[in-house]
Amino acid sequence: MIQIAIFSDVHGNLPALDSVLKDIKARGIQHKFCLGDLIDFAPWGNEVIEKMRSLNILCLMGNHDERIAFDFPVVPLSKHSEEETEARFIAIDHSKKHITKENKKFLSELPFHLKLNYKVGKKHWNIQLVHSSLSSNDTYLYESEEDEIFIRMLEDAQSDVIVMGHTHLSFKKQFENNTWAINCGSVGRSKEENRLASYLVLTLDEEKITPEIIQIPYPIDETVRQIKESGIPDYYALFLKNENVLIL
């Protein structure tokens, strides 16, 4: 049996990341992967990057990582309210000013997606990791999508499992022949009502893959306090407390 921990969308929330890493360690899981978006919306962008580097955790390039690494312009999103649009511009500008040159270089060199192959007994399992899809790190795919979309992705990747993040909403969808499409949710900026830090544990044995979404509490009040003291808009503190913020 092999266990793999996969997480995504830390978004500068170091207390949430520390809680997830502590939980992974307590479960004795050695294999860890991140699907990207280490930065933006909480004030520990540099610290999150440096922790990932120090622990040698392989991470993909999320859309936020890419934007900061290459100084791409911020484009308003039609689904966002005027309030969120304004807050988003300020928060991303905060990252552009505060992420160090060395850490921007690290972000620029992250892989776009990654395919894993694990052998358990006589069985090879292929696991495709993406931030949001095979061709884009900024595509929103929700549990409500037609099954054919995920089945096609699995076929294109020639994989048994495809794991994604980006939407900050976890789900598991099983198809024929024990194939899966899974969203591991968000560590640091969950859009689920409970706002808990979310990650995925994949258990591989010779006969099957068993996915489990783990959701754990973290010291959210500390993150909220630090956001309010950082120059990042209070919008993101209210978001984490699930107060007066429309979720889109």
Side-chain angles (χ1 to χ4, degrees):
M1 182 185 78
I2 296 173
Q3 286 192 306
I4 306 165
I6 304 170
F7 59 92
S8 188
D9 296 276
V10 179
H11 285 293
N13 191 338
L14 187 62
L17 176 61
D18 283 341
S19 296
V20 164
L21 292 175
K22 182 179 178 180
D23 195 73
I24 291 170
K25 183 176 181 180
R27 294 170 186 269
I29 300 172
Q30 301 298 318
H31 305 267
K32 299 181 286 290
F33 300 92
C34 177
L35 306 184
D37 276 4
L38 299 177
I39 55 173
D40 288 341
F41 309 133
W44 295 279
N46 285 309
E47 291 85 349
V48 165
I49 292 169
E50 287 153 15
K51 174 150 288 191
M52 299 293 285
R53 294 175 66 183
S54 69
L55 296 175
N56 200 29
I57 298 173
L58 186 55
C59 185
L60 303 185
M61 181 188 289
N63 57 305
H64 285 264
D65 307 318
E66 185 175 28
R67 181 186 295 114
I68 298 303
F70 299 106
D71 196 25
F72 290 163
V74 184
V75 178
L77 302 179
S78 60
K79 66 176 185 171
H80 287 170
S81 66
E82 184 176 338
E83 179 188 15
E84 183 169 4
T85 297
E86 181 180 359
R88 181 169 167 265
F89 272 78
I90 296 170
I92 293 172
D93 186 60
H94 184 277
S95 292
K96 288 186 175 186
K97 291 177 179 176
H98 287 86
I99 300 301
T100 67
K101 183 177 180 180
E102 182 181 8
N103 286 336
K104 287 179 181 179
K105 183 175 186 297
F106 170 80
L107 295 177
S108 74
E109 295 172 349
L110 295 175
F112 193 78
H113 54 67
L114 178 69
K115 187 173 181 179
L116 309 173
N117 180 284
Y118 283 91
K119 186 173 185 286
V120 186
K122 296 182 179 179
K123 176 65 176 178
H124 284 267
W125 294 111
N126 290 309
I127 302 165
Q128 178 70 58
L129 306 182
V130 300
H131 182 67
S132 68
S133 75
L134 286 166
S135 59
S136 168
N137 62 10
D138 202 14
T139 299
Y140 290 88
L141 295 174
Y142 297 98
E143 186 174 8
S144 58
E145 310 291 341
E146 294 183 0
D147 288 353
E148 305 306 321
I149 291 174
F150 298 113
I151 291 170
R152 192 178 312 118
M153 290 171 68
L154 286 161
E155 291 172 349
D156 289 344
Q158 297 184 326
S159 293
D160 303 289
V161 183
I162 188 163
V163 187
M164 65 202 79
H166 188 56
T167 65
H168 304 196
L169 294 165
S170 62
F171 65 79
K172 301 182 294 184
K173 299 191 79 166
Q174 185 176 17
F175 309 108
E176 292 182 356
N177 301 318
N178 194 38
T179 58
W180 294 85
I182 304 168
N183 190 305
C184 62
S186 171
V187 169
R189 194 170 177 264
S190 172
K191 292 184 178 181
E192 298 181 43
E193 188 173 354
N194 60 30
R195 293 300 198 266
L196 298 176
S198 177
Y199 76 99
L200 169 70
V201 174
L202 283 181
T203 301
L204 316 178
D205 61 37
E206 193 168 6
E207 302 299 324
K208 66 182 184 302
I209 293 178
T210 305
E212 181 182 5
I213 301 292
I214 309 295
Q215 296 189 328
I216 60 171
Y218 67 93
I220 196 167
D221 288 339
E222 172 65 11
T223 302
V224 166
R225 183 178 68 84
Q226 292 286 354
I227 288 173
K228 289 183 175 182
E229 294 178 2
S230 69
I232 295 170
D234 286 359
Y235 177 93
Y236 295 102
L238 294 173
F239 181 96
L240 292 179
K241 296 291 284 185
N242 207 359
E243 296 177 358
N244 302 322
V245 174
L246 179 64
I247 306 172
L248 292 173

